[in-house]
């Protein structure tokens, strides 16, 4: 029986990191509220207070609440520690408040998740966190509404609600039955269209929004939370709803849409939806960017989608991801990649269309070794992926298959708890430190090998992908068949022993931070002169080097001559000088508006004709007139933000306004 009670206050929390003035709208908890309020009993019995979305002091947030009856927190790695502190504080101030946690970070019994994060199982979780009352597993909309209704009872009995874990006698856990997935997504109202965020977005932030058009993923990758969260069957939201949300984003000046689908482009309708989105952008000027995770095996539809977005300036580049290039690794993680020949074909298509691409690899997957990772890099660069290699550490995500004890044992996995890496987030957001569990040892990879992989990956991304030595490496690959991995290994070997050089200092600093990370240190850093944000180590090194180009390329000249001598290669001295000069002139820096460069060799033609191994560099006097697309006038912060932060996935580190004169 439902008793007569006062209207109760509900607080929802979904905090995220802040990126300058950019903030994400708390979409997940908005979905909970939107569905819950369709029930007339809930609507008449509860007052939903303003959603918590900023990483403010948890104790102060709790003390400022107005008699909360329910606190519901959306949990992931970027707010896990903050959520626990808030839950503890709320329980201290309001002992009768029902504290609910949901999201893919909550432990999923019986298998549990990350041992080092204290999530061994739900029994252990409730003992360690007595301020939490209910865990919601999987899709939360129906379950959350059921909890709210049951909470109104004189003697609530949550055991009959599917999809939750609750504390029972002796701090033991009861996990109820697994609920059916929500197959009819039309039952879930949009929080954007129902007005839930109308007051929120009046606050003075640059707003980003998350959006779903479907739920589910057909791929069973063991390192991803999609499989355990939603299984493999896909369900779609109605097209009318999606288009209305696009319209809403335009009318409300939403800067950026993050599409949450696991595989945008998997349905035929996704192309038409993309066209509609660009029409919204053309009409309102917003949203400015659209980020999507495309279907795992790229196809012509995704190519056409990306072309449409790129034409309107809304694309951040096309994803052509592999995660690993080794067949044994792919088998272990249950992933099927596109064929390398198909990858080459799409790389060519995107390049001819002037669309940047990026390819992601994960460092430390089961069965990966230093050699297999290194050879994977070679394959991708040889296939044409020069600027868009993005390498990430391997994370143990709660409840994914890789975190299962049986999987950990099978592949000899050991993880280390490190401060979370959220590139370009504001340091003011680290009031409460969040953490991630990083794989540093497997049965095929020692801790030393992991450190080698990280430093090697750092060198490839800093020097090649960000453009500092890309043309030089291409030259030696084409002329002497020197593999890219060998070239960057030689850079590491040379400068690790020349520690007083500019490059040596950056290399040794990186190596020291990698060693320290095993003990819980950070793998990013703040560079005050480039803005008060966290930079990934490869970007930090690039920024420090590019602002001292003369010294940097002087050191590179010394290295190249030493390498030529060591390998007993024959290269004319003038050609080496031309190569260094040409490479240096290509890289955008914050100080140079325009320059003219004279060459005695036709390096532009030779290096751009990468696929033709038969040609040799032609002696020809050229004059290159280079004009910067934008003048930064030494403004390091603006340069770092626009060239490195905003443009990395676009691969726009080289000058594009170059005219060539034959002298």
């Amino acid at each position: 029986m439902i008793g007569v009670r006062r209207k109760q206050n509900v607080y929802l929390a979904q905090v995220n990191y802040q990126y300058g003035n950019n903030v994400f709208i708390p979409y997940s908890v908005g979905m909970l509220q939107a569905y819950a309020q369709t029930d007339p009993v809930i609507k008449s019995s509860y007052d939903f207070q303003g959603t918590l979305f900023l990483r403010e002091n948890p104790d102060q947030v709790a003390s400022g609440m107005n008699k909360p009856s329910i606190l519901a927190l959306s949990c992931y790695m970027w707010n896990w520690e903050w959520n626990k502190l808030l839950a503890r504080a709320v329980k201290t101030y309001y002992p009768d408040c029902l504290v609910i946690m949901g999201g893919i970070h909550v432990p999923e019994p019986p298998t549990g998740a990350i041992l080092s994060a204290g999530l061994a199982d739900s029994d252990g979780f409730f003992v360690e966190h007595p301020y939490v009352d209910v865990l919601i597993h999987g899709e939360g909309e129906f379950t959350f509404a059921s909890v709210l209704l049951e909470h109104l009872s004189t003697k609530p009995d949550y055991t009959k609600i599917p999809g939750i874990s609750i504390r029972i006698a002796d701090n033991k856990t009861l996990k109820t039955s697994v609920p059916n997935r929500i197959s009819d997504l039309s039952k879930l109202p949009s929080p954007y269209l129902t007005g839930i965020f109308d007051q929120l977005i009046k606050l003075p932030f640059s707003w980003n929004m998350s959006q779903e058009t479907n739920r589910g993923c057909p791929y069973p990758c063991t390192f991803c939370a999609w499989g355990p969260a939603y299984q493999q069957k896909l369900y779609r939201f109605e097209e009318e709803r999606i288009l209305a949300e696009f319209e809403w984003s335009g009318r409300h000046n939403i800067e950026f849409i993050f599409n949450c689908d696991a595989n945008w482009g998997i349905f035929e309708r996704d192309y038409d939806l993309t066209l509609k989105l660009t029409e919204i952008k053309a009409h309102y000027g917003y949203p400015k960017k659209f980020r999507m995770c495309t279907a795992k095996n790229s196809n012509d539809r995704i190519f056409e989608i990306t072309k449409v977005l790129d034409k309107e300036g809304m694309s951040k580049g096309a994803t052509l991801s592999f995660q690993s290039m080794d067949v044994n690794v792919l088998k272990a993680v249950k992933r099927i990649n596109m064929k390398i020949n198909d990858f080459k074909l799409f790389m060519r298509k995107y390049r001819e269309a002037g669309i940047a691409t990026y390819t992601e690899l994960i460092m430390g997957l089961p069965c990966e070794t230093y050699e297999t990772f290194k050879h994977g890099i070679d394959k991708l660069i040889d296939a044409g992926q020069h600027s868009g290699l993005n390498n990430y550490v391997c994370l143990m995500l709660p409840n994914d298959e890789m975190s299962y004890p049986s999987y950990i044992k099978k592949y000899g996995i050991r993880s280390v708890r490190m401060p979370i890496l959220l590139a370009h987030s504001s340091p003011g957001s680290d009031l409460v430190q969040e953490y991630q569990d990083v794989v540093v040892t497997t049965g095929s990879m020692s801790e030393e090998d992991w450190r080698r992989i990280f430093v090697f990956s750092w060198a490839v991304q800093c020097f090649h992908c960000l453009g500092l030595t890309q043309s030089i490496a291409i030259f030696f690959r084409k002329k002497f068949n020197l593999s890219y991995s060998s070239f960057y290994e030689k850079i590491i070997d040379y400068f690790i022993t020349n520690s007083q050089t500019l490059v040596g200092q950056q290399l040794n600093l990186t190596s020291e931070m990698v060693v320290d990370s095993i003990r819980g240190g950070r793998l990013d850093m703040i560079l005050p002169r480039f803005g008060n944000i966290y930079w990934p180590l490869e970007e930090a090194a690039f920024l420090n080097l590019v602002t001292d180009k003369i010294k940097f390329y002087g050191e590179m000249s010394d290295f190249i001559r030493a390498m030529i001598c060591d390998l007993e290669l024959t290269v004319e001295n003038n050609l080496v000088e031309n190569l260094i000069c040409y490479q240096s002139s290509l890289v955008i820096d914050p100080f140079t508006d325009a320059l003219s460069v004279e060459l005695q060799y036709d390096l532009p033609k030779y290096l751009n004709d990468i696929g033709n191994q038969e040609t040799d560099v032609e002696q020809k006097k050229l004059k290159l007139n280079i004009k910067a697309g934008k003048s930064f006038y030494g403004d390091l912060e603006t340069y770092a933000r626009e060239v490195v932060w905003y443009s990395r996935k676009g691969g726009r580190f080289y000058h594009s306004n170059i005219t060539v004169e034959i002298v």
Side-chain angles (χ1 to χ4, degrees):
M1 290 291 292
I2 296 176
V4 178
R5 296 185 179 183
R6 64 175 176 82
K7 208 165 187 180
Q8 301 179 49
N9 292 332
V10 179
Y11 284 84
L12 303 173
Q14 184 183 349
V15 302
N16 202 341
Y17 278 73
Q18 193 168 330
Y19 298 82
N21 197 45
N22 287 70
V23 179
F24 270 93
I25 297 171
Y27 169 74
S28 296
V29 294
M31 288 289 289
L32 300 182
Q33 181 179 343
Y35 177 75
Q37 289 183 322
T38 63
D39 188 291
V41 175
I42 293 176
K43 193 168 184 178
S44 63
S45 302
Y46 293 100
D47 273 336
F48 285 84
Q49 305 298 307
T51 302
L52 307 173
F53 67 98
L54 293 175
R55 297 180 64 84
E56 299 173 322
N57 184 291
D59 189 76
Q60 293 178 3
V61 172
S63 65
M65 289 181 174
N66 179 24
K67 297 180 180 178
S69 291
I70 290 180
L71 169 66
L73 305 111
S74 177
C75 302
Y76 199 44
M77 68 173 73
W78 50 67
N79 59 26
W80 182 242
E81 299 298 328
W82 189 93
N83 280 349
K84 290 189 294 183
L85 289 176
L86 178 64
R88 180 187 291 117
V90 167
K91 210 68 167 180
T92 300
Y93 287 108
Y94 308 98
D96 294 330
C97 179
L98 185 75
V99 175
I100 306 167
M101 283 185 164
I104 62 175
H105 205 86
V106 300
E108 181 80 31
T111 55
I114 305 173
L115 299 179
S116 62
L119 302 177
D121 55 59
S122 289
D123 289 341
F125 176 82
F126 281 120
V127 171
E128 186 175 349
H129 309 290
Y131 44 82
V132 179
D133 301 300
V134 179
L135 299 178
I136 293 179
H137 308 292
E139 295 170 292
E141 290 89 355
F142 288 3
T143 308
F144 178 66
S146 297
V147 172
L148 292 184
L149 288 171
E150 187 60 33
H151 185 68
L152 295 172
S153 300
T154 306
K155 294 183 178 180
D157 180 11
Y158 302 108
T159 62
K160 59 188 178 183
I161 300 173
I164 66 171
S165 294
I166 59 172
R167 184 188 297 103
I168 55 177
D170 300 322
N171 274 322
K172 294 296 182 181
T173 299
L174 173 66
K175 184 186 180 185
T176 62
S177 60
V178 178
N180 293 326
R181 285 187 58 201
I182 304 173
S183 58
D184 184 3
L185 297 181
S186 66
K187 294 180 179 179
L188 304 180
S190 167
Y192 303 115
L193 306 180
T194 52
I196 286 174
F197 300 130
D198 285 359
Q199 292 302 311
L200 182 71
I201 61 174
K202 293 179 180 180
L203 296 174
F205 296 103
S206 293
W207 290 101
N208 303 330
M209 68 180 273
S210 304
Q211 185 192 40
E212 299 173 282
T213 73
N214 64 66
R215 288 183 179 179
C217 181
Y219 304 101
C221 307
T222 65
F223 52 82
C224 180
W226 269 104
Y230 291 122
Q231 309 304 318
Q232 292 180 290
K233 187 171 177 60
L234 277 69
Y235 297 108
R236 291 184 284 183
F237 286 95
E238 295 176 315
E239 189 169 328
E240 182 180 357
R241 167 203 176 107
I242 299 166
L243 295 175
E245 289 182 340
F246 285 164
E247 176 77 17
W248 187 91
S249 74
R251 286 191 289 107
H252 291 90
N253 297 350
I254 300 301
E255 292 278 336
F256 173 76
I257 295 180
F258 181 83
N259 178 266
C260 301
D261 302 352
N263 298 278
W264 179 262
I266 199 169
F267 297 118
E268 289 185 11
R269 73 171 189 176
D270 293 344
Y271 176 77
D272 293 327
L273 288 172
T274 304
L275 287 175
K276 295 292 185 181
L277 177 61
T278 58
E279 291 173 6
I280 298 292
K281 163 67 180 309
H283 181 74
Y284 292 103
Y286 293 90
K288 294 183 179 179
K289 296 291 182 181
F290 181 77
R291 170 70 189 281
M292 56 190 177
C293 298
T294 54
K296 302 301 181 284
N297 291 318
S298 193
N299 54 43
D300 288 327
R301 185 185 304 129
I302 295 170
F303 174 68
E304 294 300 327
I305 286 172
T306 309
K307 275 184 33 180
V308 170
L309 291 170
D310 190 75
K311 182 179 178 182
E312 294 299 324
M314 300 181 71
S315 172
K316 286 200 166 196
T319 309
L320 297 170
S321 292
F322 282 88
Q323 316 309 339
S324 175
M325 300 297 292
D326 183 78
V327 62
N328 294 317
V329 177
L330 296 173
K331 183 179 179 180
V333 300
K334 300 181 181 179
R335 179 170 176 104
I336 301 175
N337 283 333
M338 75 175 80
K339 294 179 173 61
I340 192 68
N341 287 336
D342 291 338
F343 176 77
K344 292 178 181 179
L345 176 65
F346 277 109
M347 283 294 301
R348 188 179 304 114
K349 289 181 67 171
Y350 281 107
R351 185 165 54 248
E352 290 173 353
I355 299 172
T357 62
Y358 60 96
T359 300
E360 296 167 331
L361 294 177
I362 299 176
M363 299 178 283
L365 289 171
C367 297
E368 195 82 83
T369 67
Y370 174 76
E371 292 298 322
T372 61
F373 186 84
K374 183 179 69 173
H375 292 323
I377 294 285
D378 276 330
K379 289 178 184 177
L380 289 171
I381 299 180
D382 278 332
Q385 187 56 284
H386 288 275
S387 297
L389 273 175
N390 292 309
N391 304 329
Y392 302 101
V393 294
C394 181
L395 299 181
M396 299 284 282
L397 299 175
N399 308 316
D400 66 11
E401 187 175 347
M402 190 176 290
S403 69
Y404 294 174
S406 58
Y407 194 96
I408 291 172
K409 183 179 180 180
K410 180 178 181 179
Y411 292 105
I413 295 171
R414 181 175 72 90
S415 63
V416 171
R417 197 179 191 219
M418 300 180 187
I420 193 171
L421 304 178
L422 287 174
H424 314 128
S425 62
S426 303
S429 299
D430 60 3
L431 177 69
V432 177
Q433 182 61 62
E434 304 291 347
Y435 297 93
Q436 60 189 12
D437 279 65
V438 178
V439 175
V440 297
T441 301
T442 67
S444 61
M445 179 188 70
S446 66
E447 183 181 302
E448 181 183 359
D449 284 341
W450 180 79
R451 295 197 300 267
R452 289 182 70 199
I453 288 172
F454 193 101
V455 173
F456 173 76
S457 174
W458 168 87
V460 171
Q461 291 181 100
C462 175
F463 298 113
H464 196 86
C465 300
L466 292 173
L468 289 172
T469 61
Q470 186 181 116
S471 294
I472 298 172
I474 291 172
F475 173 85
F476 281 96
R477 176 61 170 159
K478 184 174 181 178
K479 187 170 180 62
F480 299 105
N481 200 31
L482 180 68
S483 70
Y484 293 104
S485 61
S486 295
F487 180 81
Y488 289 106
E489 283 183 320
K490 291 185 179 300
I491 284 182
I492 294 169
D493 292 342
Y494 178 85
F495 285 104
I496 201 73
T497 56
N498 289 274
S499 59
Q500 298 307 308
T501 61
L502 192 65
V503 177
Q505 291 171 9
Q506 295 300 313
L507 174 59
N508 280 279
L509 174 62
T510 299
S511 299
E512 291 168 5
M513 292 185 70
V514 173
V515 171
D516 188 58
S517 72
I518 305 295
R519 299 187 292 269
R522 300 193 67 91
L523 284 171
D524 54 14
M525 65 176 70
I526 298 171
L527 304 175
R529 61 184 182 143
F530 298 103
N532 195 32
I533 62 173
Y534 286 105
W535 296 97
L537 296 185
E538 68 275 7
E539 292 182 3
F542 171 85
L543 288 168
N544 283 324
L545 295 171
V546 79
T547 48
D548 200 347
K549 281 174 69 174
I550 294 176
K551 186 174 182 180
F552 169 74
Y553 283 108
E555 293 177 0
M556 276 297 154
S557 179
D558 293 340
F559 157 71
I560 289 169
R561 297 178 193 281
M563 183 185 71
I564 290 172
C565 182
D566 183 59
L567 296 175
E568 298 181 348
L569 305 177
T570 301
V571 189
E572 294 181 12
N573 189 56
N574 284 344
L575 180 53
V576 174
E577 292 178 355
N578 272 228
L579 183 61
I580 296 290
C581 179
Y582 178 64
Q583 173 68 90
S584 173
S585 67
L586 292 178
V587 179
I588 299 171
D589 67 65
F591 309 110
T592 307
D593 296 330
L595 71 158
S596 294
V597 177
E598 293 187 358
L599 302 175
Q600 283 75 50
Y601 296 85
D602 196 348
L603 287 168
K605 180 181 178 181
Y606 182 74
L607 296 175
N608 287 330
D609 191 17
I610 299 174
N612 188 352
Q613 298 293 326
E614 302 301 321
T615 63
D616 201 355
V617 60
E618 180 183 359
Q619 282 193 276
K620 181 187 289 186
K621 291 186 177 182
L622 302 176
K623 183 179 181 181
L624 276 58
N625 297 304
I626 302 172
K627 183 173 177 59
K630 177 177 179 177
S631 299
F632 293 99
Y633 305 107
D635 184 343
L636 300 184
E637 187 170 341
T638 300
Y639 169 83
R641 182 177 63 251
E642 296 188 8
V643 176
V644 181
W645 178 1
Y646 295 170
S647 297
R648 177 168 182 177
K649 287 187 174 178
R652 300 182 179 93
F653 308 107
Y654 281 2
H655 290 291
S656 57
N657 189 355
I658 302 175
T659 59
V660 181
E661 300 177 16
I662 299 175
V663 181

